[in-house]
Amino acid sequence: MRISELSRRSGIPTPTIKYYLREGLLPPGRATAATQAEYDEGHLRRLRLVRALIGVRGLSVSATRDVLGAVAARAGELHQVLGLVLGARPVGDEAAPEDPPEGEVEALIGELGWNVSEHAPARAVLGETLETLRSLGAELDHASLLGYAELAERTAVLDLDQLDPRADPLEQAERALLLTVLLEPALLALRRLAQENESARRNT
C-alpha cells in the first residue's frame, strides 16, 4: 500500500508517518521509485502500536523507539512483550533493584503467590498509596487488600481472555495496552455505580 493508504487505515496523518520513518519508529517501505515506497500489513501493525505507546501510554518518541527495539529482540515471547509495552519490564538488561523488595506490598504479593516483575511500577504505586492512607489515619495493611487483589486477579483473567492467541504479537501488545490504559476509567466508573447500588440496597 502507498503511504496515503497507510495513513487512511491507521488514522495517522501522512506527515506524522513520515516523521516516524525519519525517527526510526517505522521501518522503511519497499522503494518503488525515487520518492515512493510500498508498505505492508507489518507496517500498519507497528504503526498502530507506535500510536498506542505515544498517544495512550504517553511515552516520548525516544522511549517508544527503545521499547520497540526491546520488543523486536523478544519477538515470540508474548509475556515479555506485554511486560515491555505495559511498563512492567525494564527496557534493556534487567538489573536487580538497588534495595531488596520489602514491606506490605511484598507481603501481599507473597501471600497471593503472584509472579510479577520486581521492576513493575505498580509496586511503588501500591506502596505509596498505603503510606498515604496510613498518614491520613486509615490503618490499612496488606491483609486489608486481599479481597481487592482477588477481584483484580479475576479482572486480569478477563483482560487476557480478550487477546487472540492467534493474532500478531504487535496486535496483541497494542490491544493489551488499550485495555489496560483506556479501560481503567470505565472500571472506576463501574465501581462507583456498584457502590451506589450497594448503598441503596442496604438502606431499603
Side-chain angles (χ1 to χ4, degrees), residues 33-115:
T35 59
Q36 294 182 352
E38 288 285 336
Y39 302 90
D40 58 25
E41 295 296 322
H43 288 92
L44 182 60
R45 286 191 292 269
R46 186 176 174 104
L47 191 53
R48 286 174 172 161
L49 180 56
V50 168
R51 178 183 60 184
L53 289 169
I54 293 175
V56 175
R57 194 173 155 203
L59 295 185
S60 66
V61 168
S62 175
T64 298
R65 187 189 305 112
D66 292 343
V67 168
L68 290 170
V71 165
R74 306 305 290 266
E77 302 174 48
L78 182 58
H79 177 66
Q80 300 297 330
V81 168
L82 295 182
L84 287 164
V85 299
L86 296 176
R89 301 279 179 191
V91 176
D93 295 331
E94 187 162 327
E98 294 182 5
D99 300 311
E102 58 182 348
E104 295 287 351
V105 174
E106 298 311 313
L108 176 64
I109 292 171
E111 190 159 343
L112 291 164
W114 284 359
N115 178 16

Side-chain angles (χ1 to χ4, degrees):
M1 74 187 87
R2 300 282 294 276
I3 195 169
S4 57
E5 175 71 3
L6 184 62
S7 173
R8 185 187 68 78
R9 293 182 60 186
S10 68
I12 298 175
T14 297
T16 303
I17 295 176
K18 290 180 177 179
Y19 172 65
Y20 290 164
L21 286 164
R22 289 195 302 273
E23 292 297 316
L25 299 184
L26 197 64
R30 182 179 62 84
T32 57
T35 59
Q36 294 182 352
E38 288 285 336
Y39 302 90
D40 58 25
E41 295 296 322
H43 288 92
L44 182 60
R45 286 191 292 269
R46 186 176 174 104
L47 191 53
R48 286 174 172 161
L49 180 56
V50 168
R51 178 183 60 184
L53 289 169
I54 293 175
V56 175
R57 194 173 155 203
L59 295 185
S60 66
V61 168
S62 175
T64 298
R65 187 189 305 112
D66 292 343
V67 168
L68 290 170
V71 165
R74 306 305 290 266
E77 302 174 48
L78 182 58
H79 177 66
Q80 300 297 330
V81 168
L82 295 182
L84 287 164
V85 299
L86 296 176
R89 301 279 179 191
V91 176
D93 295 331
E94 187 162 327
E98 294 182 5
D99 300 311
E102 58 182 348
E104 295 287 351
V105 174
E106 298 311 313
L108 176 64
I109 292 171
E111 190 159 343
L112 291 164
W114 284 359
N115 178 16
V116 295
S117 169
E118 58 193 9
H119 299 280
R123 288 177 179 261
V125 171
L126 194 53
E128 290 165 6
T129 301
L130 284 173
E131 286 183 16
T132 300
L133 286 168
R134 280 196 289 267
S135 73
L136 295 173
E139 295 301 322
L140 294 176
D141 60 12
H142 76 277
S144 307
L145 296 180
L146 284 173
Y148 293 101
E150 289 163 2
L151 290 174
E153 192 169 45
R154 287 161 53 192
T155 302
V157 171
L158 292 173
D159 288 340
L160 293 184
D161 280 350
Q162 294 187 59
L163 300 182
D164 183 354
R166 299 162 299 179
D168 179 271
L170 293 183
E171 287 184 36
Q172 292 176 323
E174 180 205 10
R175 182 155 179 80
L177 187 56
L178 295 177
L179 284 172
T180 299
V181 179
L182 294 186
L183 198 57
E184 283 180 347
L187 296 179
L188 180 58
L190 285 171
R191 183 187 183 196
R192 295 287 184 266
L193 293 172
Q195 288 172 338
E196 180 180 351
N197 175 69
E198 180 63 15
S199 176
R201 187 189 66 80
R202 295 185 182 196
N203 284 277
T204 56

